[in-house]
Amino acid sequence: MHQASHSILLVEDEPLVLRTTADLLSEGGYRVLEASSYGEALSRIEACPDLAAIVTDIGISGEQDGIALARTVAERWPHLRIVLVSGRTRPSGTDYPQDAIFFTKPYAPGALLTLLRQSLDGELEPRAPAMALDGDCAF
């Protein structure tokens, strides 16, 4: 699988959703690193320069939400693909970074994998409607 070379950071504060989605991404051929908060996500990105994308829920707990995380990532690591997901919030296109993609929950498992593949392969336009290496870098 061509995805095997891609590492994904998954940011989700609901343990069951985190585990289920991480398993889905792993079974899809991605190497998955997990985080449950804004701060933890930034630490993981700093420790893992080979990340290709970040998938973050908008409603993560803590002082900063997933949109703030997406903005920080877009500014500091513009090479990373960003996928925002939420079942509660539908941000307008101006709420999140221009190159990020918003994907609604719930989604079919294969849909998230297809979205990631298309995003990483450059097949999706930014803001396209997507509704349809050290010890700290362990996968």
Side-chain angles (χ1 to χ4, degrees), residues 85-139:
V85 296
S86 180
R88 296 183 196 134
T89 303
R90 291 195 180 216
S92 74
T94 58
D95 289 340
Y96 54 91
Q98 182 173 347
D99 292 336
I101 297 168
F102 174 69
F103 199 54
T104 59
K105 286 182 183 179
Y107 44 77
L112 180 60
L113 291 172
T114 298
L115 176 80
L116 270 173
R117 182 191 53 78
Q118 290 176 340
S119 177
L120 290 166
D121 289 349
E123 296 174 15
L124 283 180
E125 293 295 318
R127 296 196 188 274
M131 296 207 230
L133 300 192
D134 54 34
D136 290 334
C137 189
F139 290 93

Side-chain angles (χ1 to χ4, degrees), residues 9 11-13 35-43 60-62 64 69:
L9 175 62
V11 186
E12 172 63 62
D13 65 349
S36 60
S37 69
Y38 176 93
E40 186 179 8
L42 293 183
S43 294
I60 55 176
S61 59
Q64 301 286 342
L69 177 60

Side-chain angles (χ1 to χ4, degrees), residues 27-102:
E27 290 168 10
Y30 295 101
R31 290 178 290 159
V32 181
L33 192 61
E34 301 171 8
S36 60
S37 69
Y38 176 93
E40 186 179 8
L42 293 183
S43 294
R44 297 274 193 250
I45 296 168
E46 289 169 351
C48 301
D50 68 332
L51 285 172
I54 177 172
V55 176
T56 182
D57 187 32
I58 289 176
I60 55 176
S61 59
E63 294 180 23
Q64 301 286 342
D65 65 8
I67 291 176
L69 177 60
R71 288 181 187 140
T72 300
V73 168
E75 182 180 303
R76 292 178 60 184
W77 297 281
H79 68 282
L80 288 178
R81 302 287 187 191
I82 302 167
V83 177
L84 289 155
V85 296
S86 180
R88 296 183 196 134
T89 303
R90 291 195 180 216
S92 74
T94 58
D95 289 340
Y96 54 91
Q98 182 173 347
D99 292 336
I101 297 168
F102 174 69

